[in-house]
Amino acid sequence: MDLRKEASDVELLKRMLAGEERAFVSLYARHQAKVYKFAYQMSGSPALADDVTQEVFITLMRDGANYDAKRGAVSAFLYGIARNFVLRKLAKENRFVAIDEDDKSLLAINGKPQNFNDPLQDLTRKETLDALRQAILALPAHYREVVVLCDLHEMSYAEVADALECAIGTVRSRLSRARTLLAQRLRGAEEVNAQKKAISAERIFI
């Protein structure tokens, strides 16, 4: 029997707590990449993401009995552990948030999808990506995490609420506010870039 394909997360956790090593390996294989991606997108550091991922699964082995199925899925339990570790580490360091450049859904300018085969537009895309990284980094942690989980990990409001241990309404309001702040910051960045380009153009003709 292929545990990773056939057994549920809850069943794997129970088997792991009973001492079955293969169940832990299956849980790790199923969720390691997601935990790593979350930590990486929140911090921008592969080393930090590696550390957090390791700590999450060590914590799972040690404190897995604390999981309560009534409070959400095992995946939400893991995200919650990862979140706590990430926030502790980010409190000590100031890092840019890493956004996957392959995630084109976040890289529309003025609501229009970008042509990734156009060199000039690609330059604009990179400028927008840098502005987006900085804008997300500037968000308070409770706004940043809902953007990462909802928009980058495409989790449902209910799943995010379970991971963050808050109400669905709180997730909705935080995400709405976070998107508003991001839009404001990105508009400001576009205006600054436009002003810089205008000044550069004036210098060329002087």
Side-chain angles (χ1 to χ4, degrees):
M1 173 179 168
D2 188 338
L3 289 179
R4 192 169 65 174
K5 291 182 179 179
E6 298 184 22
S8 68
D9 285 347
V10 173
E11 182 179 353
L12 288 175
L13 182 58
K14 289 180 179 178
R15 293 187 180 191
M16 184 202 79
L17 294 173
E20 187 174 334
E21 182 179 349
R22 193 163 61 118
F24 171 78
V25 172
S26 295
L27 272 175
Y28 181 86
R30 186 178 290 179
H31 295 287
Q32 177 270 338
K34 297 175 185 177
V35 170
Y36 175 89
K37 185 176 181 181
F38 169 74
Y40 180 55
Q41 289 172 330
M42 284 288 289
S43 67
S45 168
L48 185 149
D50 278 332
D51 288 344
V52 167
T53 302
Q54 182 178 3
E55 289 170 342
V56 165
F57 285 95
I58 289 175
T59 301
L60 181 67
M61 286 190 291
R62 185 183 66 237
D63 301 327
N66 293 333
Y67 168 71
D68 182 356
K70 296 178 181 179
R71 300 179 64 181
V74 172
S75 58
F77 181 65
L78 293 174
Y79 273 119
I81 297 171
R83 174 210 184 200
N84 290 334
F85 281 122
V86 168
L87 292 181
R88 285 179 207 164
K89 291 179 181 294
L90 289 180
K92 300 178 182 178
E93 303 178 37
N94 184 21
R95 296 181 179 274
F96 284 97
V97 176
I99 303 298
D100 187 351
E101 293 200 22
D102 292 330
D103 189 350
K104 301 179 183 180
S105 63
L106 294 177
L107 301 179
I109 298 176
N110 294 327
K112 298 179 181 178
Q114 299 302 292
N115 179 0
F116 286 81
N117 295 317
D118 185 334
L120 293 179
Q121 199 170 81
D122 186 60
L123 177 61
T124 301
R125 178 175 68 90
K126 290 179 180 178
E127 292 175 351
T128 302
L129 184 62
D130 289 338
L132 184 58
R133 285 192 181 106
Q134 295 177 31
I136 292 178
L137 181 64
L139 290 174
H142 60 288
Y143 289 147
R144 188 192 315 177
E145 61 195 12
V146 294
V147 169
V148 171
L149 292 174
C150 290
D151 289 338
L152 302 187
H153 286 240
E154 299 182 341
M155 292 173 63
S156 69
Y157 293 140
E159 290 171 330
V160 175
D162 289 338
L164 304 184
E165 297 184 344
C166 64
I168 291 178
T170 300
V171 173
R172 290 178 183 273
S173 62
R174 286 181 183 176
L175 185 60
S176 176
R177 180 57 178 161
R179 287 172 174 170
T180 298
L181 291 173
L182 285 176
Q184 291 173 348
R185 291 181 184 277
L186 290 174
R187 279 198 297 270
E190 287 181 2
E191 291 173 1
V192 170
N193 287 334
Q195 291 173 358
K196 288 181 179 179
K197 290 177 181 179
I199 292 173
S200 297
E202 289 178 0
R203 290 175 177 173
I204 292 175
F205 290 102
I206 292 177

